[in-house]
């Protein structure tokens, strides 16, 4: 705590935003929101480990980031449901110098199905990837960050959703998993805060990504996308879907020192939708 008469030095805006000297892991970084987050973190100076089931995609993405920003970026094939693989990635990211500062649990899936049509296997797959995968990533990161002599800059970011704050039709499995992510974020912020680790969730609304557009190729996805398009006009005050970079900018803010006293919150990125 600052002593009276001895205010802390005022860092520059550039210093507050800089991630130089920090290593970050981003799961689900093969495309879409995860790729955009990795791009912004690398631009801010972080060394980034891009992880995804699609190992080829993250290797290509990492090569592009190295060329674009000059930071040490690498791609790694990862199944977030496999605890040994997640723990091994955390160990690799931390390295001998204890450089792991940022972990972004972005990997997720969002199939649509009416409750009567929802099979147990589909329900379990969504929980395994979206909820359990987030838990495994947060646990692996916390094990590396807890007890570190330098308590500065340790942040875990979880990708929740507006569906993790409200209900959505035909998305029971996704809504349940994202509510779990929101709750996990709050619980871990309380548990890990004394170790200097911040835990934050971001909750995007409609995001115009390749995966979102690909869902229109299935009958269920087409129905869900049609509902989403109607909601954009009726329920989103800004009247448009977010871009992946809209989400990435908020994540960059959350992991930077600009947000050094922010923890335990779920930040909507929804164009004002939840304000209605």
């Amino acid at each position: 705590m600052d002593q009276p008469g001895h205010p802390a030095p005022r860092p520059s805006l550039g210093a507050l935003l800089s991630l130089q000297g920090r290593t970050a892991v981003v799961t689900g970084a093969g495309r879409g929101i995860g790729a955009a987050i990795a791009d912004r973190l690398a631009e801010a100076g972080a060394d980034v480990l891009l992880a995804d089931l699609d190992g080829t995609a993250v290797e290509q993405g990492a090569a592009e980031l190295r060329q674009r920003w000059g930071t040490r970026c690498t791609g790694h094939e990862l199944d977030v449901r496999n605890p040994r693989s997640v723990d091994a990635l955390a160990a690799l990211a931390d390295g001998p110098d204890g450089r792991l500062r940022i972990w972004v649990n972005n990997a997720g899936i969002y199939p649509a199905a009416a409750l009567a049509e929802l099979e147990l296997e589909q329900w379990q797959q969504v929980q395994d990837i979206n909820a359990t995968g987030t838990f495994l990533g947060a646990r692996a990161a916390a094990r590396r960050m807890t007890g570190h002599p330098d308590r500065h800059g340790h942040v875990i970011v979880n990708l929740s959703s507006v569906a993790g704050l409200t209900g959505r039709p035909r998305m029971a499995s996704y809504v349940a998993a994202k509510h779990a992510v929101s709750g996990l974020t709050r619980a871990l912020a309380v548990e890990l805060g004394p170790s200097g680790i911040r835990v934050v969730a971001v909750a995007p609304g409609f995001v115009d990504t390749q995966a979102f557009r690909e869902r229109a190729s299935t009958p269920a996805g087409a129905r869900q996308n049609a509902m989403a398009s109607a909601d954009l006009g009726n329920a989103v005050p800004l009247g448009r879907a977010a871009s992946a970079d809209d989400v990435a900018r908020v994540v960059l803010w959350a992991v930077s020192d600009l947000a050094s006293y922010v923890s335990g919150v779920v930040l909507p990125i929804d164009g004002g939708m939840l304000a209605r």
Side-chain angles (χ1 to χ4, degrees):
M1 181 178 297
D2 298 336
Q3 298 299 316
H6 297 279
R10 180 183 182 275
S12 69
L13 183 59
L16 289 170
L17 191 59
S18 174
L19 301 180
Q20 290 185 359
R22 307 183 198 185
T23 295
V25 171
V26 182
T27 70
R31 62 178 184 171
I33 294 173
I37 292 171
D39 190 4
R40 284 297 184 180
L41 299 189
E43 182 181 3
D47 297 330
V48 185
L49 283 72
L50 291 76
D52 199 283
L53 267 177
D54 188 342
T56 301
V58 286
E59 287 177 2
Q60 293 174 346
E64 293 172 2
L65 295 186
R66 288 194 301 270
Q67 182 176 14
R68 184 179 306 142
W69 305 120
T71 58
R72 294 184 294 180
C73 297
T74 54
H76 305 269
E77 184 175 339
L78 177 73
D79 185 340
V80 297
R81 297 168 292 185
N82 186 324
R84 290 185 178 180
S85 296
V86 175
D87 289 344
L89 182 63
L92 180 64
D94 204 31
D97 301 325
R99 292 169 53 88
L100 177 61
R101 292 294 186 276
I102 299 162
W103 189 289
V104 181
N105 287 305
N106 168 74
I109 58 173
Y110 44 95
L115 180 62
E117 303 165 359
L118 182 59
E119 299 292 338
L120 177 58
E121 292 78 9
Q122 186 183 46
W123 165 274
Q124 193 60 58
Q125 182 187 37
V126 174
Q127 308 316 309
D128 288 345
I129 296 174
N130 293 9
T132 303
T134 298
F135 154 70
L136 292 174
R139 186 182 69 174
R143 285 173 170 172
R144 292 282 163 179
M145 296 175 180
T146 300
H148 197 284
D150 179 3
R151 291 160 56 95
H152 178 251
H154 292 92
V155 191
I156 297 170
V157 176
N158 300 323
L159 267 289
S160 183
S161 166
V162 293
L165 298 168
T166 62
R168 304 290 300 174
R170 303 182 63 84
M171 298 192 75
S173 59
Y174 184 75
V175 168
K178 290 303 184 180
H179 270 74
V181 170
S182 296
L184 179 67
T185 298
R186 296 184 177 101
L188 295 184
V190 174
E191 180 174 344
L192 300 177
S195 296
I197 303 169
R198 297 192 294 112
V199 187
V200 177
V202 297
F206 302 121
V207 184
D208 185 13
T209 63
Q210 181 181 350
F212 183 81
R213 294 189 293 271
E214 286 175 354
R215 291 174 59 206
S217 64
T218 67
R223 287 194 298 270
Q224 195 69 28
N225 279 12
M227 293 169 60
S229 297
D231 280 346
L232 284 175
N234 298 328
V236 180
L238 288 184
R240 67 171 180 87
S243 68
D245 190 53
D246 285 325
V247 180
R249 295 176 206 175
V250 177
V251 173
L252 172 59
W253 171 82
V255 302
S256 76
D257 290 349
L258 286 168
S260 61
Y261 202 61
V262 176
S263 190
V265 296
V266 182
L267 301 168
I269 310 172
D270 65 351
M273 181 168 58
L274 294 181
R276 288 195 181 275

